[in-house]
């Protein structure tokens, strides 16, 4: 008699493999389209395999655009945003999780309540504030808000800090650690999976952000990758395969970050109740 658990495992792997292939299909199709000539790209019926493979399409993207400058701007915005999110969200979350102060629970509920405010509602007030501060057409509005402790990151890190036994905090007090030293030396090193999760979410959000750069940036040399590529869509009329190649190139940093932090991401999400 066959083992029912083995049969169930085989079926599960088949389902997972089939689902993975379905999700990979658009990416593979885009990769193949980026290596076609325009004639092949627009051919009917569809020619799935490029003949020949035109690797020079990627070189043309670099030649026709200031791709390196766009990438540098995106990298600056993304790294500053990630650092700001990790520092501010973890500090606020530590206060809500381990410190005692008046109206702590009420304030935390108010912080979570801001998640229900549509981002569109805040566009005009934020634009007026940044205009009065002289930050228009700079990269500052694209990353400065992440240093103000966004509610999702606060919730994520608070869940992590609450899961740490109180005995660690008591031991740190006996050793003479201040609240900040306890947070920095004891709690943060124990929450690496959640920090990796927050890093991935922030990196993906800021790297792919389009709305804020469109609103705050007007000089082409300040453009980030998403709007830099979109700004060239008109110039690439009749050469749409270049647009596909540029879009794929913008995905490479996200894939690299996710591949290196995937195990931390899964562990952090599962331990934080984000399933």
């Amino acid at each position: 008699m066959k083992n029912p658990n083995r049969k169930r495992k085989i079926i599960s792997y088949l389902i997972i493999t089939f689902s993975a292939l379905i999700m990979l299909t658009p990416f593979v199709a885009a990769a193949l389209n980026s290596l076609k000539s325009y004639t092949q790209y627009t051919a009917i019926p569809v020619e799935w395999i490029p003949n020949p493979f035109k690797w020079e399409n990627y070189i043309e993207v670099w030649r026709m655009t200031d791709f390196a400058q766009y990438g540098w701007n995106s990298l600056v915005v993304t790294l500053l945003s990630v650092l700001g999110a990790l520092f501010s969200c973890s500090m606020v979350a530590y206060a809500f999780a381990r410190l005692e102060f008046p109206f702590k629970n009420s304030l935390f509920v108010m912080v979570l309540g801001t998640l229900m405010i549509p981002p569109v509602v805040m566009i005009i007030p934020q634009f007026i504030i940044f205009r009065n501060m002289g930050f228009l057409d700079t990269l500052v509005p694209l990353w400065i808000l992440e240093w103000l402790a966004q509610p999702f990151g606060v919730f994520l890190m608070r869940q992590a800090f609450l899961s740490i036994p109180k005995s660690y905090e008591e031991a740190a007090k006996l050793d003479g650690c201040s609240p900040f030293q306890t947070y920095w030396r004891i709690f943060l090193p124990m929450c690496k999976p959640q920090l990796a999760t927050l890093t991935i979410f922030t990196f993906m959000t800021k790297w792919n952000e389009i709305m804020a750069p469109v609103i705050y940036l007007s000089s082409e040399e300040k453009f980030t990758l998403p709007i830099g590529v979109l700004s060239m869509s008109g110039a690439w009329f009749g050469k749409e395969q270049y647009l596909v190649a540029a879009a794929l190139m913008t995905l490479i940093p996200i894939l690299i970050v996710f591949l290196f932090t995937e195990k931390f991401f899964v562990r952090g999400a599962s331990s934080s109740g984000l399933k």
Side-chain angles (χ1 to χ4, degrees), residues 33-34 36 41 54 56-58 60-61 63-64 229 236 238-249:
N33 284 334
S34 69
K36 295 178 181 179
Y41 182 80
K54 297 183 70 65
E56 60 269 22
N57 288 353
Y58 288 89
E60 285 297 310
V61 170
R63 188 183 65 82
M64 296 173 62
V229 171
W236 285 340
K239 300 177 181 178
E240 281 78 6
Q241 71 275 20
Y242 294 159
L243 190 62
V244 179
L248 286 177
M249 290 168 66

PDB file of all heavy atoms in Angstrom, residues 33-34 36 41 54 56-58 60-61 63-64 229 236 238-249:
ATOM      1  N   ASN A  33      10.665  39.168 -25.618  1.00  0.00           N
ATOM      2  CA  ASN A  33      10.296  40.344 -26.408  1.00  0.00           C
ATOM      3  C   ASN A  33      11.403  41.386 -26.434  1.00  0.00           C
ATOM      4  O   ASN A  33      11.580  42.104 -27.421  1.00  0.00           O
ATOM      5  CB  ASN A  33       9.017  40.969 -25.853  1.00  0.00           C
ATOM      6  CG  ASN A  33       7.779  40.180 -26.212  1.00  0.00           C
ATOM      7  OD1 ASN A  33       7.752  39.482 -27.219  1.00  0.00           O
ATOM      8  ND2 ASN A  33       6.746  40.279 -25.392  1.00  0.00           N
ATOM      9  N   SER A  34      12.148  41.483 -25.338  1.00  0.00           N
ATOM     10  CA  SER A  34      13.216  42.486 -25.275  1.00  0.00           C
ATOM     11  C   SER A  34      14.379  42.148 -26.195  1.00  0.00           C
ATOM     12  O   SER A  34      15.233  43.002 -26.451  1.00  0.00           O
ATOM     13  CB  SER A  34      13.730  42.599 -23.833  1.00  0.00           C
ATOM     14  OG  SER A  34      14.431  41.425 -23.444  1.00  0.00           O
ATOM     15  N   LYS A  36      13.950  40.916 -29.349  1.00  0.00           N
ATOM     16  CA  LYS A  36      13.452  40.841 -30.716  1.00  0.00           C
ATOM     17  C   LYS A  36      13.710  42.135 -31.471  1.00  0.00           C
ATOM     18  O   LYS A  36      13.937  43.199 -30.866  1.00  0.00           O
ATOM     19  CB  LYS A  36      11.949  40.571 -30.716  1.00  0.00           C
ATOM     20  CG  LYS A  36      11.536  39.230 -30.144  1.00  0.00           C
ATOM     21  CD  LYS A  36      10.019  39.095 -30.151  1.00  0.00           C
ATOM     22  CE  LYS A  36       9.558  37.761 -29.567  1.00  0.00           C
ATOM     23  NZ  LYS A  36       8.071  37.663 -29.551  1.00  0.00           N
ATOM     24  N   TYR A  41       8.701  41.778 -32.937  1.00  0.00           N
ATOM     25  CA  TYR A  41       7.923  42.192 -31.761  1.00  0.00           C
ATOM     26  C   TYR A  41       6.454  42.394 -32.108  1.00  0.00           C
ATOM     27  O   TYR A  41       5.570  42.111 -31.297  1.00  0.00           O
ATOM     28  CB  TYR A  41       8.526  43.478 -31.195  1.00  0.00           C
ATOM     29  CG  TYR A  41       7.853  43.996 -29.961  1.00  0.00           C
ATOM     30  CD1 TYR A  41       8.125  43.443 -28.706  1.00  0.00           C
ATOM     31  CD2 TYR A  41       6.946  45.058 -30.025  1.00  0.00           C
ATOM     32  CE1 TYR A  41       7.513  43.925 -27.556  1.00  0.00           C
ATOM     33  CE2 TYR A  41       6.338  45.549 -28.888  1.00  0.00           C
ATOM     34  CZ  TYR A  41       6.614  44.980 -27.662  1.00  0.00           C
ATOM     35  OH  TYR A  41       6.002  45.456 -26.538  1.00  0.00           O
ATOM     36  N   LYS A  54      18.675  39.639 -30.296  1.00  0.00           N
ATOM     37  CA  LYS A  54      19.293  40.964 -30.456  1.00  0.00           C
ATOM     38  C   LYS A  54      19.683  41.509 -29.079  1.00  0.00           C
ATOM     39  O   LYS A  54      18.982  42.324 -28.474  1.00  0.00           O
ATOM     40  CB  LYS A  54      18.319  41.915 -31.175  1.00  0.00           C
ATOM     41  CG  LYS A  54      17.991  41.467 -32.599  1.00  0.00           C
ATOM     42  CD  LYS A  54      17.096  42.467 -33.299  1.00  0.00           C
ATOM     43  CE  LYS A  54      17.814  43.764 -33.629  1.00  0.00           C
ATOM     44  NZ  LYS A  54      18.905  43.560 -34.609  1.00  0.00           N
ATOM     45  N   GLU A  56      21.928  43.497 -28.514  1.00  0.00           N
ATOM     46  CA  GLU A  56      22.291  44.911 -28.615  1.00  0.00           C
ATOM     47  C   GLU A  56      21.142  45.835 -28.213  1.00  0.00           C
ATOM     48  O   GLU A  56      21.351  47.042 -28.049  1.00  0.00           O
ATOM     49  CB  GLU A  56      22.747  45.240 -30.034  1.00  0.00           C
ATOM     50  CG  GLU A  56      21.714  44.996 -31.123  1.00  0.00           C
ATOM     51  CD  GLU A  56      21.800  43.604 -31.711  1.00  0.00           C
ATOM     52  OE1 GLU A  56      22.338  42.695 -31.031  1.00  0.00           O
ATOM     53  OE2 GLU A  56      21.335  43.421 -32.846  1.00  0.00           O
ATOM     54  N   ASN A  57      19.923  45.308 -28.045  1.00  0.00           N
ATOM     55  CA  ASN A  57      18.812  46.129 -27.580  1.00  0.00           C
ATOM     56  C   ASN A  57      19.120  46.755 -26.225  1.00  0.00           C
ATOM     57  O   ASN A  57      18.773  47.912 -25.964  1.00  0.00           O
ATOM     58  CB  ASN A  57      17.526  45.292 -27.480  1.00  0.00           C
ATOM     59  CG  ASN A  57      16.957  44.933 -28.841  1.00  0.00           C
ATOM     60  OD1 ASN A  57      17.445  45.413 -29.867  1.00  0.00           O
ATOM     61  ND2 ASN A  57      15.946  44.091 -28.861  1.00  0.00           N
ATOM     62  N   TYR A  58      19.785  45.987 -25.364  1.00  0.00           N
ATOM     63  CA  TYR A  58      20.121  46.497 -24.039  1.00  0.00           C
ATOM     64  C   TYR A  58      21.204  47.575 -24.129  1.00  0.00           C
ATOM     65  O   TYR A  58      21.197  48.549 -23.359  1.00  0.00           O
ATOM     66  CB  TYR A  58      20.581  45.348 -23.140  1.00  0.00           C
ATOM     67  CG  TYR A  58      19.449  44.429 -22.731  1.00  0.00           C
ATOM     68  CD1 TYR A  58      19.101  43.330 -23.519  1.00  0.00           C
ATOM     69  CD2 TYR A  58      18.720  44.667 -21.574  1.00  0.00           C
ATOM     70  CE1 TYR A  58      18.055  42.495 -23.150  1.00  0.00           C
ATOM     71  CE2 TYR A  58      17.680  43.837 -21.202  1.00  0.00           C
ATOM     72  CZ  TYR A  58      17.345  42.754 -21.992  1.00  0.00           C
ATOM     73  OH  TYR A  58      16.306  41.940 -21.634  1.00  0.00           O
ATOM     74  N   GLU A  60      21.501  49.593 -26.654  1.00  0.00           N
ATOM     75  CA  GLU A  60      20.814  50.759 -27.194  1.00  0.00           C
ATOM     76  C   GLU A  60      20.082  51.532 -26.107  1.00  0.00           C
ATOM     77  O   GLU A  60      19.999  52.753 -26.161  1.00  0.00           O
ATOM     78  CB  GLU A  60      19.829  50.320 -28.283  1.00  0.00           C
ATOM     79  CG  GLU A  60      20.475  49.935 -29.602  1.00  0.00           C
ATOM     80  CD  GLU A  60      21.188  51.119 -30.230  1.00  0.00           C
ATOM     81  OE1 GLU A  60      20.582  52.206 -30.336  1.00  0.00           O
ATOM     82  OE2 GLU A  60      22.367  50.964 -30.619  1.00  0.00           O
ATOM     83  N   VAL A  61      19.554  50.820 -25.132  1.00  0.00           N
ATOM     84  CA  VAL A  61      18.863  51.498 -24.017  1.00  0.00           C
ATOM     85  C   VAL A  61      19.839  52.411 -23.280  1.00  0.00           C
ATOM     86  O   VAL A  61      19.529  53.571 -22.968  1.00  0.00           O
ATOM     87  CB  VAL A  61      18.256  50.460 -23.051  1.00  0.00           C
ATOM     88  CG1 VAL A  61      17.753  51.148 -21.778  1.00  0.00           C
ATOM     89  CG2 VAL A  61      17.107  49.724 -23.725  1.00  0.00           C
ATOM     90  N   ARG A  63      22.570  53.658 -24.531  1.00  0.00           N
ATOM     91  CA  ARG A  63      23.041  54.697 -25.441  1.00  0.00           C
ATOM     92  C   ARG A  63      22.008  55.803 -25.640  1.00  0.00           C
ATOM     93  O   ARG A  63      22.361  56.985 -25.730  1.00  0.00           O
ATOM     94  CB  ARG A  63      23.383  54.068 -26.800  1.00  0.00           C
ATOM     95  CG  ARG A  63      24.073  55.014 -27.768  1.00  0.00           C
ATOM     96  CD  ARG A  63      24.312  54.350 -29.106  1.00  0.00           C
ATOM     97  NE  ARG A  63      23.064  54.017 -29.782  1.00  0.00           N
ATOM     98  CZ  ARG A  63      22.356  54.903 -30.494  1.00  0.00           C
ATOM     99  NH1 ARG A  63      22.769  56.153 -30.614  1.00  0.00           N
ATOM    100  NH2 ARG A  63      21.229  54.539 -31.076  1.00  0.00           N
ATOM    101  N   MET A  64      20.735  55.434 -25.668  1.00  0.00           N
ATOM    102  CA  MET A  64      19.673  56.395 -25.987  1.00  0.00           C
ATOM    103  C   MET A  64      19.153  57.140 -24.765  1.00  0.00           C
ATOM    104  O   MET A  64      18.445  58.138 -24.902  1.00  0.00           O
ATOM    105  CB  MET A  64      18.510  55.669 -26.670  1.00  0.00           C
ATOM    106  CG  MET A  64      18.869  55.045 -28.017  1.00  0.00           C
ATOM    107  SD  MET A  64      17.521  54.045 -28.688  1.00  0.00           S
ATOM    108  CE  MET A  64      16.236  55.284 -28.889  1.00  0.00           C
ATOM    109  N   VAL A 229      12.369  55.970 -17.545  1.00  0.00           N
ATOM    110  CA  VAL A 229      12.023  55.051 -18.631  1.00  0.00           C
ATOM    111  C   VAL A 229      10.731  55.470 -19.309  1.00  0.00           C
ATOM    112  O   VAL A 229      10.630  55.466 -20.547  1.00  0.00           O
ATOM    113  CB  VAL A 229      11.915  53.614 -18.084  1.00  0.00           C
ATOM    114  CG1 VAL A 229      11.354  52.671 -19.144  1.00  0.00           C
ATOM    115  CG2 VAL A 229      13.276  53.112 -17.606  1.00  0.00           C
ATOM    116  N   TRP A 236      10.634  56.219 -28.179  1.00  0.00           N
ATOM    117  CA  TRP A 236      10.797  54.845 -28.605  1.00  0.00           C
ATOM    118  C   TRP A 236       9.594  54.343 -29.399  1.00  0.00           C
ATOM    119  O   TRP A 236       9.388  53.134 -29.513  1.00  0.00           O
ATOM    120  CB  TRP A 236      11.034  53.949 -27.395  1.00  0.00           C
ATOM    121  CG  TRP A 236      12.419  54.088 -26.824  1.00  0.00           C
ATOM    122  CD1 TRP A 236      13.517  54.577 -27.451  1.00  0.00           C
ATOM    123  CD2 TRP A 236      12.836  53.736 -25.513  1.00  0.00           C
ATOM    124  NE1 TRP A 236      14.601  54.552 -26.623  1.00  0.00           N
ATOM    125  CE2 TRP A 236      14.222  54.046 -25.405  1.00  0.00           C
ATOM    126  CE3 TRP A 236      12.201  53.198 -24.391  1.00  0.00           C
ATOM    127  CZ2 TRP A 236      14.964  53.825 -24.259  1.00  0.00           C
ATOM    128  CZ3 TRP A 236      12.930  52.980 -23.248  1.00  0.00           C
ATOM    129  CH2 TRP A 236      14.299  53.289 -23.181  1.00  0.00           C
ATOM    130  N   GLY A 238       7.765  52.870 -32.202  1.00  0.00           N
ATOM    131  CA  GLY A 238       8.311  52.036 -33.257  1.00  0.00           C
ATOM    132  C   GLY A 238       9.509  51.232 -32.808  1.00  0.00           C
ATOM    133  O   GLY A 238      10.091  50.482 -33.590  1.00  0.00           O
ATOM    134  N   LYS A 239       9.889  51.398 -31.529  1.00  0.00           N
ATOM    135  CA  LYS A 239      11.009  50.635 -30.959  1.00  0.00           C
ATOM    136  C   LYS A 239      10.619  50.152 -29.559  1.00  0.00           C
ATOM    137  O   LYS A 239      11.410  50.239 -28.620  1.00  0.00           O
ATOM    138  CB  LYS A 239      12.273  51.487 -30.890  1.00  0.00           C
ATOM    139  CG  LYS A 239      12.760  52.009 -32.232  1.00  0.00           C
ATOM    140  CD  LYS A 239      13.974  52.896 -32.073  1.00  0.00           C
ATOM    141  CE  LYS A 239      14.444  53.450 -33.411  1.00  0.00           C
ATOM    142  NZ  LYS A 239      15.610  54.348 -33.263  1.00  0.00           N
ATOM    143  N   GLU A 240       9.392  49.673 -29.431  1.00  0.00           N
ATOM    144  CA  GLU A 240       8.868  49.310 -28.115  1.00  0.00           C
ATOM    145  C   GLU A 240       9.652  48.192 -27.443  1.00  0.00           C
ATOM    146  O   GLU A 240       9.573  48.018 -26.224  1.00  0.00           O
ATOM    147  CB  GLU A 240       7.392  48.920 -28.209  1.00  0.00           C
ATOM    148  CG  GLU A 240       6.421  50.080 -28.296  1.00  0.00           C
ATOM    149  CD  GLU A 240       6.368  50.700 -29.693  1.00  0.00           C
ATOM    150  OE1 GLU A 240       7.005  50.140 -30.612  1.00  0.00           O
ATOM    151  OE2 GLU A 240       5.693  51.735 -29.857  1.00  0.00           O
ATOM    152  N   GLN A 241      10.397  47.411 -28.210  1.00  0.00           N
ATOM    153  CA  GLN A 241      11.207  46.354 -27.609  1.00  0.00           C
ATOM    154  C   GLN A 241      12.269  46.945 -26.692  1.00  0.00           C
ATOM    155  O   GLN A 241      12.684  46.318 -25.711  1.00  0.00           O
ATOM    156  CB  GLN A 241      11.846  45.461 -28.679  1.00  0.00           C
ATOM    157  CG  GLN A 241      12.967  46.095 -29.486  1.00  0.00           C
ATOM    158  CD  GLN A 241      12.448  46.895 -30.684  1.00  0.00           C
ATOM    159  OE1 GLN A 241      11.289  47.280 -30.721  1.00  0.00           O
ATOM    160  NE2 GLN A 241      13.317  47.120 -31.653  1.00  0.00           N
ATOM    161  N   TYR A 242      12.710  48.190 -26.977  1.00  0.00           N
ATOM    162  CA  TYR A 242      13.660  48.861 -26.086  1.00  0.00           C
ATOM    163  C   TYR A 242      13.010  49.189 -24.745  1.00  0.00           C
ATOM    164  O   TYR A 242      13.658  49.123 -23.692  1.00  0.00           O
ATOM    165  CB  TYR A 242      14.172  50.145 -26.736  1.00  0.00           C
ATOM    166  CG  TYR A 242      15.015  49.930 -27.975  1.00  0.00           C
ATOM    167  CD1 TYR A 242      15.183  50.956 -28.899  1.00  0.00           C
ATOM    168  CD2 TYR A 242      15.649  48.721 -28.217  1.00  0.00           C
ATOM    169  CE1 TYR A 242      15.955  50.770 -30.044  1.00  0.00           C
ATOM    170  CE2 TYR A 242      16.415  48.529 -29.351  1.00  0.00           C
ATOM    171  CZ  TYR A 242      16.564  49.555 -30.262  1.00  0.00           C
ATOM    172  OH  TYR A 242      17.327  49.355 -31.381  1.00  0.00           O
ATOM    173  N   LEU A 243      11.739  49.564 -24.784  1.00  0.00           N
ATOM    174  CA  LEU A 243      11.022  49.877 -23.547  1.00  0.00           C
ATOM    175  C   LEU A 243      10.907  48.636 -22.667  1.00  0.00           C
ATOM    176  O   LEU A 243      11.059  48.712 -21.443  1.00  0.00           O
ATOM    177  CB  LEU A 243       9.633  50.420 -23.876  1.00  0.00           C
ATOM    178  CG  LEU A 243       8.818  51.013 -22.719  1.00  0.00           C
ATOM    179  CD1 LEU A 243       9.541  52.201 -22.127  1.00  0.00           C
ATOM    180  CD2 LEU A 243       7.427  51.409 -23.196  1.00  0.00           C
ATOM    181  N   VAL A 244      10.658  47.489 -23.281  1.00  0.00           N
ATOM    182  CA  VAL A 244      10.592  46.236 -22.532  1.00  0.00           C
ATOM    183  C   VAL A 244      11.958  45.914 -21.932  1.00  0.00           C
ATOM    184  O   VAL A 244      12.064  45.491 -20.767  1.00  0.00           O
ATOM    185  CB  VAL A 244      10.118  45.085 -23.436  1.00  0.00           C
ATOM    186  CG1 VAL A 244      10.081  43.776 -22.659  1.00  0.00           C
ATOM    187  CG2 VAL A 244       8.743  45.386 -24.012  1.00  0.00           C
ATOM    188  N   ALA A 245      13.023  46.109 -22.703  1.00  0.00           N
ATOM    189  CA  ALA A 245      14.372  45.849 -22.195  1.00  0.00           C
ATOM    190  C   ALA A 245      14.697  46.755 -21.012  1.00  0.00           C
ATOM    191  O   ALA A 245      15.268  46.312 -20.006  1.00  0.00           O
ATOM    192  CB  ALA A 245      15.395  46.043 -23.313  1.00  0.00           C
ATOM    193  N   ALA A 246      14.336  48.029 -21.109  1.00  0.00           N
ATOM    194  CA  ALA A 246      14.591  48.965 -20.006  1.00  0.00           C
ATOM    195  C   ALA A 246      13.808  48.565 -18.765  1.00  0.00           C
ATOM    196  O   ALA A 246      14.328  48.640 -17.644  1.00  0.00           O
ATOM    197  CB  ALA A 246      14.214  50.376 -20.441  1.00  0.00           C
ATOM    198  N   ALA A 247      12.550  48.157 -18.946  1.00  0.00           N
ATOM    199  CA  ALA A 247      11.734  47.744 -17.804  1.00  0.00           C
ATOM    200  C   ALA A 247      12.341  46.527 -17.106  1.00  0.00           C
ATOM    201  O   ALA A 247      12.361  46.454 -15.870  1.00  0.00           O
ATOM    202  CB  ALA A 247      10.311  47.432 -18.271  1.00  0.00           C
ATOM    203  N   LEU A 248      12.855  45.583 -17.871  1.00  0.00           N
ATOM    204  CA  LEU A 248      13.482  44.403 -17.275  1.00  0.00           C
ATOM    205  C   LEU A 248      14.750  44.774 -16.518  1.00  0.00           C
ATOM    206  O   LEU A 248      15.048  44.206 -15.460  1.00  0.00           O
ATOM    207  CB  LEU A 248      13.795  43.368 -18.354  1.00  0.00           C
ATOM    208  CG  LEU A 248      12.601  42.599 -18.922  1.00  0.00           C
ATOM    209  CD1 LEU A 248      13.059  41.666 -20.041  1.00  0.00           C
ATOM    210  CD2 LEU A 248      11.906  41.801 -17.831  1.00  0.00           C
ATOM    211  N   MET A 249      15.505  45.726 -17.045  1.00  0.00           N
ATOM    212  CA  MET A 249      16.730  46.142 -16.362  1.00  0.00           C
ATOM    213  C   MET A 249      16.432  46.789 -15.018  1.00  0.00           C
ATOM    214  O   MET A 249      17.213  46.650 -14.076  1.00  0.00           O
ATOM    215  CB  MET A 249      17.516  47.095 -17.261  1.00  0.00           C
ATOM    216  CG  MET A 249      18.125  46.404 -18.479  1.00  0.00           C
ATOM    217  SD  MET A 249      18.763  47.555 -19.722  1.00  0.00           S
ATOM    218  CE  MET A 249      20.102  48.310 -18.846  1.00  0.00           C
TER     219      MET A 249
END
